[in-house]
Structure formats: structure tokens, C-alpha cells
Amino acid sequence: MPARKKDLPINLVPSRKRKSLCYSNKNVKDQKIHFHAFDTETDGLGGRLLCASYCFASKRAGVIVGEPTEIIAELFNEFFKAPYKKSKEGVNIWYAHNLEYDARSIFDVIIDFAAHESHDYEIELFNRTERTIYQIIITAVKGKFTGQQICLRDSFAIFPQSLEKFSKQFAPEQAKLCGTIDFKNGERFDVNNKKHLKYALQDAIALVYSLEE
């Protein structure tokens, strides 16, 4: 039986009042950010989650396929290896290019995953405009990662054009793979196609290299 709304293991809360630091502020300028990236692939626009890819600042990267809840479970295991924790070494941020789309891809699955695995999460949204999310902070309040946070940010707020243009301009040697999948003519992502998996993986890698520049 589906969980009732009041029983959902996700607590969506409005952003708390925090002391904002603009990017010109010395405190932000001097803060080192470790850029990590992720991406998702679905069965058509807004369809079932098929795949997730990730790339750490260290350039360790991977691609995850399986059932949607299995994908989220493994993706979260990777996310929490670089939790949102400020230190002298810097802060870990996970970026997605057009975060709103990826958020829609994973939110419903997070609910199913959390309910099945007895995890609870608090999700805090930060808006750039009334309809545009630029940051999501997820706090584990129950389960394996209790007390830890991950921070997801939208790199589209940094470079408001396609990942193809972003990567070609700032990381041409690690640019997004183009022409691999003919989305315009109806071709869909195929988890059994190695070229498609390489395409997904390169999206995450390209974003890390572009952000570092």
C-alpha cells in the first residue's frame, strides 16, 4: 500500500534564515569548494529513472543502473562519501546542470527508497527565483547516514547555457559527448547500450572539469 502523505519519510521544509554571503564577499572567495557532479537519465522527458552517473573532484567516476530505488541507494552511498561539511580543507558540493530536472527525476524515488530502507530525510529547498531551485540540502535524520548532510547545487546558475556549450568553452578535452543519442528524433536512453552509458558518465565528468575552470 502506498504511503499516505503524512507518513512519507521525507520532510520538505522551507529554507531557514541564514546569513547570506554573496560571491564577492571575502568569506566566500576564500572558501575552497570541492566540485563533485552527478546526472540522471530517464525514459524520455519526465519518465522512469534509468541511470545515474557521478564524478568526484578526484575524478573517480561511475555510472549506476538498476531499479530506480537501487539507483538512488547507490547514488546516496556515493553522495555521502563527500558530505556537506565545512572544514579547513573546504566544502563538498554536488552539482547538476539543470538541477530542477534531476531533482524531479529522483524525488519520487527517494520517497520509495526511504520508506523501504527505513531512512528519513529532511529536504530543504533554496530558490533562485520563485520557480527556480538553485540549491537543495538533504539531511539524514534516520538510518545509515544520520546527522550528515549533502548539498546539491545547480551549475546552470553559474553558466546558464547547455552543458555542451559550458564544457566546450571551459573543458574542451573533456566535453560532453554529442551525437551519441539522437534525442531530437525520438531515440531513448538504453541501459544496455555501452555508448549510452559512456554518454551518461561523460556528462558528470564534463561538468566537474568545467566547474574547476
Side-chain angles (χ1 to χ4, degrees):
M1 180 181 294
R4 292 172 295 170
K5 186 173 182 180
K6 69 177 183 179
D7 294 329
L8 294 180
I10 300 292
N11 181 23
L12 189 62
V13 299
S15 60
R16 304 179 181 88
K17 291 184 178 179
R18 302 170 186 246
K19 183 179 179 181
S20 297
L21 296 174
C22 65
Y23 282 101
S24 61
N25 187 290
K26 182 177 183 295
N27 290 329
V28 176
K29 182 179 178 181
D30 291 345
Q31 184 184 62
K32 179 176 175 59
I33 293 178
H34 301 293
F35 296 105
H36 313 286
F38 76 101
D39 188 40
T40 59
E41 301 294 340
T42 57
D43 186 15
L45 286 174
R48 184 173 182 266
L49 180 64
L50 298 177
C51 168
S53 57
Y54 61 88
C55 181
F56 286 84
S58 66
K59 309 307 183 297
R60 182 174 73 80
V63 63
I64 307 166
V65 298
E67 292 299 313
T69 52
E70 294 172 342
I71 294 171
I72 291 301
E74 190 169 341
L75 184 61
F76 267 46
N77 278 331
E78 298 299 335
F79 278 165
F80 279 104
K81 290 176 183 175
Y84 182 54
K85 183 179 180 181
K86 296 178 182 178
S87 68
K88 292 181 180 179
E89 288 72 37
V91 60
N92 292 305
I93 306 292
W94 285 92
Y95 283 87
H97 205 63
N98 194 1
L99 177 61
E100 287 215 17
Y101 181 82
D102 295 282
R104 288 196 299 269
S105 301
I106 67 177
F107 270 1
D108 286 344
V109 186
I110 290 175
I111 291 172
D112 292 338
F113 158 68
H116 178 71
E117 299 292 337
S118 298
H119 288 261
D120 283 350
Y121 297 98
E122 179 182 276
I123 298 178
E124 189 175 3
L125 306 179
F126 296 78
N127 285 23
R128 189 157 47 97
T129 66
E130 186 176 340
R131 296 185 177 183
T132 308
I133 298 170
Y134 83 91
Q135 177 173 280
I136 301 172
I137 298 223
I138 302 176
T139 304
V141 295
K142 180 182 176 183
K144 180 178 179 181
F145 306 111
T146 299
Q148 294 191 59
Q149 292 182 320
I150 52 175
C151 179
L152 313 181
R153 283 187 188 165
D154 191 356
S155 55
F156 199 80
I158 299 173
F159 191 88
Q161 295 188 51
S162 68
L163 178 59
E164 177 184 354
K165 290 182 178 180
F166 189 15
S167 59
K168 282 185 175 180
Q169 182 169 337
F170 290 95
E173 294 182 358
Q174 290 291 341
K176 177 183 175 70
L177 296 178
C178 298
T180 304
I181 307 175
D182 190 4
F183 288 120
K184 291 184 178 179
N185 289 313
E187 186 177 4
R188 296 203 169 192
F189 189 86
D190 181 0
V191 296
N192 297 309
N193 188 321
K194 291 183 179 180
K195 290 184 179 180
H196 288 202
L197 295 179
K198 185 177 180 180
Y199 166 91
L201 182 62
Q202 187 59 31
D203 272 4
I205 294 172
L207 185 52
V208 167
Y209 275 94
S210 299
L211 287 165
E212 286 182 342
E213 294 300 320

